[in-house]
Amino acid sequence: MLTKKISNWMIAGAIILGVAALTPDTVQAQWCETCDSLTAECTSDGPYLNDSCYSGEWGGISFCVSWGRLWCDPRITRAQSTSVGADGALVRERTFASVTSDAPGTPQSTFQHVRDCKNRIVARAYSADEAEDMRRRTESIVI
Amino acid sequence: MRRPRARSYKGLIAICCTAWIAANGRVSAQAGRLVLTESGRHVMPGHILVRGGALSPRGDASLFWSGDTVWVASTRHAEARAVCPERIRAPLGAAFVSTPAAGGAPVIEIIDGGMAGADEPRIIRFSDDQCRATAWTGPDPSLPAARDAAGWVSASGTDRGGSDGIPTTRVSLVRDGGTPFSASSVDLPIAWSDSVAISVSSGPNGIIVSSRQFPFAWSAAADGSDRTPAGRIPAGNETYYASDPWIGTGVFALDSGFVQVLADLASDRRHLVFYDSSGAFRRRRVIDVPFGILDTSPYRRQLLAVRRTDRVEILTYEWTWQPPRARD
């Protein structure tokens, strides 16, 4: 009896996990569709302008980033995976990271990354504790 | 009364011998685990995007470059200095050509693409604190290139179609003078897209060509030799690597086997994959740190890497082989 209950719970858990795994793509698409409204919020006196949002221009393309929000631009596609640095991160990540380092409200943000429509990280910031932990974890690596 | 103590000394000696053997590499890669231990670091500002790097033949210096600057760093000095900053515009590759006697300045070559539409691509050679530029005579300088003892080797691909639904790309390796690198070609089980679909690195026995997309196939092309190990991530992992935008950032030679880094563009996750000397996939290690390998020196058991957190760090690792655990 107990075994059957555990088995049922395992099946239910697997279904929940499966749904959770499928959800991000749907969410991504919705975010991309509503990206214009986010841009409007950033470029005007939107509610996020003085919070953790920043707008600007990169490579002639206007962009809008908001820490913890998705930044959507249909021109970023997987085919552009070419622009990857030796550390395995997108090239534009550094551009955004340096640009947004002066963004108003950034120091207060606790969720410091920006993603594109493919869920790829385009900007990332780490706390001193996070960075130190990463250094400690890679002082010795066993493969 | 003394007999037990004698036995314990024997045990201690056995343990010491085992440790010494492991530390000195008698444990082979096939049997043991690769242990990387950080031995040096150069800290750079966080906004720098490192595109590549190289170890000096003597292991006492390293090179690394971004989109507009090449730096050289000595293991004896904490600071890295820019190489030929007044000449370099867009470095596409850099390598130590040779290192003179201890204490002397290294000789460095850099492929410089120049400013788009304004400059011709050139080779800039740094020697005796002088920077000399000569015209680049190789193929398109934006092709992935690596340097061996004889000169630069560039890689380009041709779509060969595919049989049984498996696409094939034939990779051509050409020396900067235009001569083929080796008589045999390198075929990778990928659909050809463009030059950035592949990476190249130099190994002790030739050039290693690797695909940046699943199955992250690679092949070591030996100059004048038939021994060409090749590897790939085993079939069955496609769903995992396809679900997120994964990319391969290169394959590098060890003294016994090869190591490959796979990066998840959607997270900080990196897979360090170990292949044995025949190219057979053996195991992988997962780390959640933006980390990449730039170069290896199998003879010196040194590895050059980059780690990016709140700053960029160029790291030197020494490696040893650890005896396998019972469950390995």
Side-chain angles (χ1 to χ4, degrees):
Chain A
M1 192 65 170
L2 182 63
T3 312
K4 192 176 180 182
K5 274 188 176 176
I6 291 171
S7 176
N8 287 342
W9 277 110
M10 286 177 72
I11 292 167
I15 291 169
I16 291 167
L17 286 173
V19 170
L22 291 172
T23 301
D25 281 337
T26 315
V27 173
Q28 294 297 317
Q30 288 170 353
W31 267 108
C32 290
E33 285 167 13
T34 59
C35 196
D36 286 346
S37 62
L38 176 61
T39 305
E41 285 174 346
C42 287
T43 52
S44 63
D45 293 331
Y48 301 102
L49 188 61
N50 295 314
D51 182 11
S52 56
C53 186
Y54 186 75
S55 62
E57 189 179 284
W58 180 78
I61 301 169
S62 295
F63 68 85
C64 168
V65 293
S66 175
W67 292 116
R69 284 173 173 269
L70 294 169
W71 175 73
C72 303
D73 184 340
R75 282 166 290 203
I76 302 175
T77 65
R78 285 187 74 165
Q80 282 183 292
S81 59
T82 59
S83 308
V84 174
D87 58 0
L90 288 184
V91 165
R92 64 175 58 200
E93 178 174 350
R94 226 68 70 255
T95 308
F96 275 93
S98 59
V99 168
T100 53
S101 61
D102 297 326
T106 299
Q108 285 78 43
S109 174
T110 56
F111 192 56
Q112 298 190 338
H113 66 257
V114 180
R115 294 178 184 275
D116 66 12
C117 295
K118 295 289 182 184
N119 200 33
R120 303 180 309 186
I121 295 174
V122 292
R124 180 80 159 95
Y126 301 95
S127 69
D129 287 346
E130 272 182 308
E132 190 53 42
D133 181 54
M134 287 176 161
R135 279 190 277 278
R136 185 184 52 74
R137 282 189 280 121
T138 45
E139 280 177 355
S140 178
I141 303 170
V142 180
I143 306 172
Chain B
M1 290 292 283
R2 292 188 176 185
R3 191 173 289 267
R5 176 167 290 188
R7 269 203 295 269
S8 70
Y9 279 135
K10 283 179 184 173
L12 188 63
I13 289 167
I15 290 168
C16 289
C17 286
T18 305
W20 186 89
I21 288 167
N24 286 276
R26 300 300 195 274
V27 177
S28 74
Q30 268 73 8
R33 289 186 172 271
L34 176 68
V35 181
L36 303 173
T37 306
E38 188 183 318
S39 60
R41 73 173 71 160
H42 285 92
V43 178
M44 303 297 287
H47 67 273
I48 290 174
L49 177 78
V50 176
R51 291 178 181 269
L55 282 163
S56 73
R58 273 211 319 267
D60 56 353
S62 60
L63 271 177
F64 50 96
W65 62 92
S66 67
D68 58 10
T69 309
V70 178
W71 292 269
V72 63
S74 162
T75 52
R76 297 188 304 276
H77 305 290
E79 286 190 7
R81 65 176 178 127
V83 182
C84 304
E86 70 288 353
R87 295 279 191 116
I88 301 294
R89 295 290 175 269
L92 301 169
F96 288 95
V97 176
S98 65
T99 44
V107 179
I108 295 167
E109 271 191 5
I110 300 154
I111 303 175
D112 186 63
M115 298 294 283
D119 304 317
E120 291 295 321
R122 332 168 270 180
I123 285 280
I124 294 174
R125 192 179 178 97
F126 175 76
S127 173
D128 297 327
D129 275 336
Q130 300 284 319
C131 302
R132 297 181 183 84
T134 56
W136 167 253
T137 57
D140 181 352
S142 64
L143 291 171
R147 200 183 193 288
D148 67 2
W152 289 96
V153 179
S154 301
S156 63
T158 309
D159 193 347
R160 305 282 294 177
S163 58
D164 302 330
I166 301 172
T168 302
T169 286
R170 176 149 295 175
V171 179
S172 305
L173 294 169
V174 181
R175 289 203 173 276
D176 51 0
T179 56
F181 172 73
S182 64
S184 57
S185 59
V186 176
D187 287 341
L188 294 177
I190 57 168
W192 180 249
S193 55
D194 53 51
S195 63
V196 288
I198 55 174
S199 300
V200 294
S201 60
S202 60
N205 300 312
I207 300 293
I208 303 169
V209 183
S210 58
S211 159
R212 292 168 76 90
Q213 282 120 32
F214 187 85
F216 309 111
W218 59 273
S219 182
D223 191 2
S225 166
D226 292 333
R227 183 180 168 275
T228 55
R232 52 172 286 171
I233 294 292
N237 289 275
E238 185 164 10
T239 306
Y240 178 83
Y241 287 109
S243 62
D244 285 312
W246 284 82
I247 192 163
T249 59
V251 174
F252 301 87
L254 303 168
D255 55 334
S256 181
F258 300 85
V259 63
Q260 179 181 44
V261 181
L262 307 178
D264 179 8
L265 295 178
S267 74
D268 291 332
R269 183 147 290 186
R270 305 289 182 266
H271 285 179
L272 306 183
V273 184
F274 173 68
Y275 299 87
D276 68 19
S277 53
S278 72
F281 170 89
R282 289 293 176 183
R283 53 189 171 264
R284 69 187 143 208
R285 168 72 191 271
V286 179
I287 58 171
D288 287 310
V289 179
F291 177 93
I293 296 175
L294 304 172
D295 193 19
T296 54
S297 174
Y299 297 132
R300 295 188 172 276
R301 290 187 169 179
Q302 278 186 331
L303 181 147
L304 189 68
V306 58
R307 177 174 61 206
R308 183 183 47 76
T309 54
D310 54 349
R311 58 201 190 204
V312 170
E313 293 164 292
I314 304 299
L315 308 165
T316 308
Y317 286 86
E318 314 286 332
W319 77 71
T320 54
W321 296 102
Q322 190 180 65
R325 294 190 296 253
R327 60 186 176 85
D328 288 345

